[in-house]
Structures are given as C-alpha cells and as structure tokens.
Amino acid sequence: MPRKPNILGFLFSLFFLTFCHADPGSNCPKTSPLVNSESEFKMVQHQLRGSIKIIDDCSFKVSDFDMLPGSDVQWWGAAAPDFTNLSAGFVVSDQKLNETYKSASFTVRLRDNVTWDRIQVLAVWDRPTASDFGHVILGDFRSGSSDPAPSPSPSSATGSGNGTGRVHTEPTMLENCKVLSKNYRVRWTLTSEENIIDIGLEAATGTMNYMAFGWSSPNSTSELMLGADVAVTGFKEDGLPFVNDFYITKYSECTLYKDGEVKGVCPDTRYEGPGQNGEVNNTKLVYGQRRDAVSFIRYQRPLISDDKKYDLPVNHTEKMTVIWALGPIRPPDLLQPHYLPQNHGGPRLVVFGHLVLNVSEHVNDCLGPLDAEDKEDQHLIIADANAPLVVTSGPALHYPNPPNPSKVLYINKKEAPMLRVERGVPVKFSVQAGHNVALYITSDPLGGNATLRNVTETIYAGGPKAQGVQASPMELVWQPDRNTPDQVYYQSLYEQKMGYRVQVVDGGLPDMYNNSVILDDQQVTLFWTLSEKSISIAVRGEKKSGFLAIGFGRGMVNSYAYVGWIDNIGKGRVNTYWIDGKDASSVHPTIENLTYVRCRSENGIISFEFTRPLNPSCGKSDRPECRNIIDRTTPLKVIWAMGSTWTDEHLSEQNMHFVTSSRPIRVLLMRGSAEAEQDLQPVLAVHGFMMFLAWGMLLPGGILAARYLKHVKGDGWYKIHVYLQYSGLVIVLLALLFAVAELRGFYVSSLHVKFGITAIFLACIQPVNAFLRPKRPAHGEEVSSKRILWEYFHVIGGRCAFVVGIAALFSGMKHLGDRYDGENVHGLNWALIIWFLIGALIVMYLEYREKQQRRDRSFGRSNWVLGNLEEDDSVDLLSPNGVHAEKESQTSGRMEVQLEPLNR
C-alpha cells in the first residue's frame, strides 16, 4: 500500500537514527551502483550462511544469518579474498559478532572513514586466529558476473520480487530446508521447468560416515526401504566428496552371489555393470565441503529419469514418502569397487527415518547452524616418544583454518594435523621442510614471528636453527612440562599460518615430574620438580576419598597443609591452611602464592598439583605462611590425610574425621628419595661421637702439646703432638666412611657437609706439610727463611682446620635437630658449648703461664741447662722472644770455660 511522502521521510530518518547511528543532519545518499544489490555469503567455516543487501553508502542489511561463535569476530574489508590480502585487511564496522546467530536479520553501519569503494571483499573475520568465516566479493556487484565457484542450479539466479537480481548464489544456499534429526538436515531448490531438483545433505557426523536420502517406492507399505531410490553421499579417504545413485533390494550390504545376482543396498551401476554408468547413475555432484565436523554435499538429480528400472519418478506436486539414514561407510576394495553404506544402527529418528514431503511447498524449519560436539575432525597425530615426527612442507589442500598460504606444514605426510602431546614425554621432530621453513612451538596461533606484529609470544621449542631438508634433517626435541598450556601451536618462524594446533594433555604424573616417593602406609604418592626459586608438587591418593591433604611438619599440629577436593559443582579446589591445634577451629586458611593449580578426581581417586616459591615473598609480614620456607638442602617432613568431605568455610569436627599417616616421611628434595622419620641411626651416632673425639679432644690436644710443652727436656712434646694428630686424623676419616656408608652416598649439599669436608681437607694437608718440613739448622747456624715460612704455614693451617672442625661439629648438631628432631639436641648443644668454653679457659691459663716463663727467661731466671740444644724444635720460632733466646743461648755456649782445680 502506498504511503504519503511525509510518512516516508519520517521512516527514512528513523531508520538512520536507529541503525546508522548518524545525527539527524547526516545522510547516506544512494549514489553507489552497489545500492540495492544483494548477494550471499560464501561459507568458509563456523557454518556461516546468509545474504547481504547494500542499502546505501553507509550501511547494509544481513538476512537469514547463521554462524557459530568465535573469539573476536568483526566485519572486515580487504582487496581480495586470498591469504595475503585478507590478512592485511581492516575493520569496516564497530559491530561485534561474538555470539551464535540463528537465522538472524539486522542492519550494519560502516565506520565513518570507510566507503564501499575501499572494500572489494566483505568478510566475517576472527582477528586472534586470522580466520575467514565467510565473505562476499563485492566485485560481483560491480561487474555483474558470477563467481567461478561450482555453478548452482539455474533457478538460483532468478530475480526477486522487487526487481533487483542476485548476481551471485553460493552452493551452500538453497531455498528450502527440512530438519530430519537433531544432527541431519536436507535442503533443496526445485526447478520443475527444467526437470531438476538440487538437494543438499547436511549432517554433523563422522568423516567416514555416509548421508543417504531418497524416495520410497509407492508400492511399499511397511517395508519402506525395499525398492527405494536413494542417493548415498559422503567423503572419500582423500577428502573429496562423492555421490552415487543406489537402489535397495534387500536389508543388507551389497552382495554378489554365486549365481551372479546382486542384492542389497547397491549402486545402480552394480546391478547393470560398469558399462551402464552414464545411463543408470542419475545423480550429479555439484559441491561438497566439510567444515567444523559438519558435512555438506550438494547434488542434482532429475525429477523423472530415463532409468525406469532403478530410479523412481518424483511427482513434485504431490506428497511422497522419503527415507533417510546416517551411518559408517566402507571404502572400496578388490571385491567391491564402490563406497558402500553399512548398517546405520542406532535409534529411529536419530540415524534413520522417513517422512512425507512435497518438494514444491516452501519449508524452512532449520533454525540456526548445526553445531557438532567435536569440531576438530582433521587428522590427529598422537606423539610417540620413540618415533620422530617427520615435518615437511607441501601445498595447502584442506587446511583447517582458512585463509592459508599456498604452502603449509605436513607432519607424517598429513596436512596441518592436530598434534597431541603428553606433558613430561619428549617429542622428537625430524625437520625436513626446507631452509626457508624454521619450525618452532609457540603460544601465538599465527606464528611467523609474532614480534614483527608487535605481539608477544612464548616460544617453547625450536627457532631459526630448526630447519633442514630430507637429505640433511634437523632433529628438534621438545618436552612439554606441567606448566605448558593446554593448547600451543607449531608454526614456521618465517611465514604465518603454516602449522596448526598442539593439544597438550596430562600424561602420567611420573612423566610430568622429576621425582616421586610413596609416603607412609603406601596410600599417598608425592611428586615434585625443583627449580631455582620454586617447587612444583603433585599429590595422588591411592584410595578413594572425598579430600586429600598433605602437610609439612612432624604432625598435624604446627603444620602447613594443602588440601585438594572436588566441590559441589564438580570443580577441583586446592586451599592452604596453617594448623595450630587438633580441632576444627585450629585450621586457619592462609594465602600462599600458588600457581598452576589443578585438582581432579578419577573414579574417586583424588590428585592435585600446584607450584609455589621456595621462599614466600611476604616482606616483613608476620603471617604464618611467611614462615613456610622450603630449604632444598634440608629434608622436608611430609604427612598426609584423607577423608570423606571438605569445605573451604565453616569447618566442623566432621571434616576432621580422616585417616592419616602414622608418622612423617623425610623427603630429600635434591636427592629424590625419602625415608621414614625415626630415631637417630646408630651408625650416625657413632659418626658424631668419633668426630667429637677427634675435633674436641685429640686434635686440640696435639695443638696444645706443640704450643705449651716445648720447654720440656727432650722431644716428648713432639711425640705427643704427632701421635695425637695422626690418631685424630684417622678417627676423622673413619667417621666420614661410616656416614657415607650409612647414607648410601656422598652429597655435598648441607652446610654441615661443606664445613666437614673443608676441615678434613685442611687436616689432611698437615701431615703432608710436616713431611716437607725444611731441614733444621745446624748448631750455631741462623734459622733460614724457608723454615720460618714453614712454621707459619703449619701453625696457621692447623689452627684453621681446628676452627672449621668446630664449626662442623655445631652445624652437625643443627643438622641432627633438623633431620631427627631429637629431643636432646638442645642439651647436646649446650654440653658442646660448655666443653669448648672449658677448653678456651685452659688455653688462656696456659698462655698466661707461657708468657710468665718467657719473661723469667728474659731476666736470667731461666732454669735452662747450658748447652741443652739437642733438638732445635724446642725453640718456638714464632714466639716474640724466640730469636733472642736462641742468640743468647749461642752466646753462652761461646763464653763457656774449663775450670781446673788449684794445685797446692
């Protein structure tokens, strides 16, 4: 009905206020030759369908729009639909398309700085993955020519009622659509005047599954399949679509009997022989594609065929019974040269069924796109640690994420497959893709060196050196760990989108961690991997439980606990606690810096994982968790608990009814082993006593003898010094052997061991030094400088060995307390301190006496016997008066006179 001009003007203004977001003064003149032109989207992926109509120079209308969602989808403009131009395109509208669209219609406004003359291709584009969901080539509007894609039926180019014709029709778009089952649809366009019907079968089904559709014999009553004329479609092993004309004579797979008769679900050509292909196979493939695990195949067939024996006439003006089915298909072999459908199985109306259909009536009950549960249906390669993955390059034929470059990566001769790897299991690549292709594993979905696009990426393996050829392949080894994301990408460093996705799944926990031990009572296993500043931990229960917990400490009280459980909505949780008592009120939640936290339950068996720093970064805070420091050199005491329920708030005594470990386990983090908490081992007790005997008694006694007994006539002091030193050194070496034998190894890790090794090394130098002692000077000769230097080295080395040995004793007592938490450690420490204080007092007294004696000798009150110089070592060359005393003694010798009796 015609409207008044003023009403038309009002509606025109309202339209722009609503859809174009322009101010009332703006306008979009219809001067472009594209205005009122309509075309359909070329489906590329995400099941995109629909048509667009350009309204004016600033907007266009989208109708019957179907699409599965992406991550950041926008309207996109480009110069051409190839990889290079689409990748270099630009956003043309501010409207986002980040949702599922089901037969939607809406109007889109271009950005203010975008005009139609800049847009040669209008695409629906996902920016993070550089993916083309579908596009329209606007050059078709300008030239009026068709796209060189497979030609649709003649009726698809007919004009619309308003006189504006569609210059381009996509093969995925047909006029009618009927839902056969949840995952199966039939689409068709009837061209009765040309005796043709175009049929499109669309199903979310497996790659090697068939789709069948056809007409049942009018003569059949209950047995609808017998005598039916159906088309069987699918995809061959090489990914190419096919369609074949079938006739059903029996409910079985097509079989050739001994008498030469053929029965079953067989191609028409099977009945008549290969020479009759052109006469009895009356289906014609028009187009086929598989996107997002949805198969779509379009074919033509005549309504009334020349083959009166195996083809049924289709009366397009009447209702007729049609049958359909989905199921697995068997590839050709030597006996059967055709793809043959197998028994569809499954329930009726899900994988097979029938209905009454009049193809001349307009039907469209297909709301929205088909959405397959698992959209990753391209080749899947599961990495094997023992077999290398051969990486080559080749032409892009069925790349899963268009647009793509002309050359892509192949793995084991499969084009851009999905690669599945396990954490902790090494993956070997044999790179043979050419010197212009450098393989790398990256977090960026496009590759091609993301830094060139000002995008950050994490590179997990590979790089410029990961390139090779078949004659000289390069081996790349990558071991994903527990911190590797669930999805990364293998790509070329030099060109974008040559590779595809890597699916990283959890392997066995032993593969994912460097070390593991079974805790007390064999019910819980602890896994860990140490790094420089952090530790990654996993815990797995060996029995069913509602929660699983481990604690760091000798018991539940005063321990730091980590609890993993599955909450009411099925989500895995891991919380941390400080426990200072034995009731529920003593369990205090803490805040620790846990990363890579995961918790899962498989058949009631709980396992959880986390990574935490060795030293919490709490600053000066006095929170309990700030004291939860893990020393990699000190054994970590671990306990565990399991129970039926847990909650992160309002803990009650019910949560405390659990089964626990009977005793702590001491986990040696750096050695990767563990031992039960127990009393001090006897051999280690002997080790400690022997070290005390050596460093606390014998070796100090030898030093005192050399310092304070030189005034004794003869060499008694020298023998005491030598015997005590050698005895102490032998006991030290025996004690060291006992410790190494008991601990089954020699590990220089703790401070005690470092002090001990240093002290033993210094002590062992002393006998060597004594053996190299310079010759003593002859009677009356001056002492050489070598002798004096030797005295300094010998005395200083011995005293340093003693000091370090004392430090080893005290650090050993600390190590004893950390290792066994002995109740008497503090008492032993005080006893050791008192012992050495008494020794220090004795030394002070002896030093005082020595100074007094030297003073007496200097004033002539010495009791030295003239000429008593049998042993030069009785002279202390390092004493302040040593040289003077020696000279004085020599002078006295030169002044000695022989007294004779007087003869009267």
Side-chain angles (χ1 to χ4, degrees), residues 114-402:
V114 176
T115 56
W116 288 115
D117 58 354
R118 294 182 56 197
I119 306 172
Q120 303 299 315
V121 175
L122 179 66
V124 177
W125 185 261
D126 187 66
R127 299 188 72 178
T129 59
S131 297
D132 177 21
F133 289 3
H135 61 263
V136 172
I137 301 176
L138 299 186
D140 294 340
F141 291 129
R142 296 183 175 93
S143 64
S145 61
S146 310
D147 190 281
S151 301
S153 62
S155 64
S156 59
T158 57
S160 58
N162 59 6
T164 59
R166 292 186 181 179
V167 299
H168 184 254
T169 300
E170 289 298 328
T172 56
M173 301 288 290
L174 295 108
E175 295 180 0
N176 304 281
C177 184
K178 180 69 177 176
V179 173
L180 302 178
S181 70
K182 177 183 178 182
N183 294 319
Y184 190 19
R185 297 172 178 178
V186 59
R187 300 176 182 270
W188 74 93
T189 295
L190 177 64
T191 313
S192 56
E193 61 274 15
E194 298 185 16
N195 192 38
I196 292 175
I197 182 170
D198 281 81
I199 297 175
L201 301 182
E202 182 181 33
T205 186
T207 306
M208 292 303 295
N209 281 6
Y210 69 87
M211 300 178 292
F213 180 83
W215 276 262
S216 177
S217 173
N219 300 325
S220 63
T221 54
S222 58
E223 303 292 342
L224 297 178
M225 287 184 61
L226 293 180
D229 175 19
V230 298
V232 175
T233 68
F235 289 87
K236 301 177 183 179
E237 293 171 295
D238 59 4
L240 296 177
F242 73 88
V243 61
N244 213 338
D245 198 0
F246 274 67
Y247 186 74
I248 302 176
T249 56
K250 187 178 180 180
Y251 286 106
S252 67
E253 185 180 324
C254 186
T255 306
L256 175 64
Y257 291 90
K258 292 182 179 180
D259 58 1
E261 186 178 12
V262 176
K263 287 187 178 180
V265 183
C266 302
D268 291 2
T269 55
R270 190 70 171 131
Y271 295 107
E272 293 296 328
Q276 302 296 325
N277 278 355
E279 299 180 9
V280 297
N281 185 15
N282 293 298
T283 56
K284 176 185 176 183
L285 178 67
V286 175
Y287 179 76
Q289 71 172 29
R290 184 169 174 82
R291 297 282 188 268
D292 314 301
V294 175
S295 297
F296 176 83
I297 291 181
R298 176 172 177 166
Y299 66 94
Q300 284 183 354
R301 63 152 290 168
L303 296 173
I304 301 175
S305 171
D306 294 335
D307 178 13
K308 307 299 182 183
K309 188 174 182 180
Y310 301 111
D311 286 351
L312 296 175
V314 177
N315 189 337
H316 64 278
T317 61
E318 295 183 1
K319 292 182 178 180
M320 298 184 66
T321 300
V322 295
I323 60 174
W324 58 269
L326 294 169
I329 197 166
R330 185 162 69 97
D333 54 32
L334 294 176
L335 298 178
Q336 297 283 5
H338 303 280
Y339 283 87
L340 299 179
Q342 308 295 291
N343 191 325
H344 47 68
R348 184 175 175 272
L349 300 181
V350 175
V351 295
F352 74 98
H354 68 276
L355 69 153
V356 176
L357 190 66
N358 186 340
V359 295
S360 62
E361 295 179 356
H362 178 68
V363 178
N364 188 7
D365 58 5
C366 303
L367 181 63
L370 283 178
D371 191 359
E373 293 182 1
D374 184 7
K375 300 178 178 61
E376 300 292 350
D377 64 347
Q378 73 274 20
H379 292 296
L380 173 65
I381 292 181
I382 299 176
D384 185 351
N386 300 319
L389 301 173
V390 180
V391 181
T392 57
S393 58
L397 301 176
H398 305 288
Y399 187 77
N401 182 27

Side-chain angles (χ1 to χ4, degrees), residues 526-692:
L526 176 71
F527 305 85
W528 76 95
T529 296
L530 272 174
S531 60
E532 184 177 354
K533 295 183 179 180
S534 64
I535 181 172
S536 298
I537 293 177
V539 188
R540 182 182 66 204
E542 304 298 335
K543 294 184 178 180
K544 294 183 178 181
S545 63
F547 73 86
L548 174 63
I550 61 165
F552 297 160
R554 294 193 71 247
M556 181 179 70
V557 180
N558 296 327
S559 69
Y560 299 95
Y562 300 84
V563 183
W565 79 100
I566 307 299
D567 62 17
N568 295 331
I569 62 174
K571 181 181 178 181
R573 303 282 300 278
V574 178
N575 274 10
T576 61
Y577 302 90
W578 161 250
I579 304 175
D580 58 5
K582 294 187 177 181
D583 55 6
S585 62
S586 302
V587 181
H588 310 288
T590 59
I591 302 175
E592 291 195 30
N593 184 23
L594 301 186
T595 55
Y596 302 106
V597 179
R598 285 184 289 186
C599 179
R600 59 185 179 275
S601 177
E602 298 178 1
N603 299 321
I605 303 297
I606 291 180
S607 61
F608 64 89
E609 306 169 67
F610 60 88
T611 297
R612 54 150 289 176
L614 295 174
N615 193 352
S617 55
C618 294
K620 298 182 179 180
S621 175
D622 58 352
R623 291 181 288 140
E625 60 266 28
C626 298
R627 300 190 297 271
N628 187 12
I629 300 173
I630 296 180
D631 183 359
R632 54 196 297 159
T633 64
T634 303
L636 180 66
K637 301 178 183 68
V638 182
I639 57 176
W640 60 264
M642 288 189 288
S644 57
T645 59
W646 190 266
T647 179
D648 56 348
E649 53 187 22
H650 306 301
L651 283 173
S652 64
E653 298 301 321
Q654 231 177 350
N655 299 119
M656 309 302 290
H657 294 169
F658 43 58
V659 57
T660 65
S661 53
S662 58
R663 56 182 176 177
I665 292 292
R666 298 176 58 258
V667 178
L668 309 178
L669 296 174
M670 297 189 68
R671 289 176 52 186
S673 61
E675 56 189 27
E677 180 83 0
Q678 54 188 343
D679 295 332
L680 181 62
Q681 299 177 17
V683 175
L684 294 182
V686 173
H687 164 82
F689 174 76
M690 293 176 70
M691 287 297 186
F692 169 74

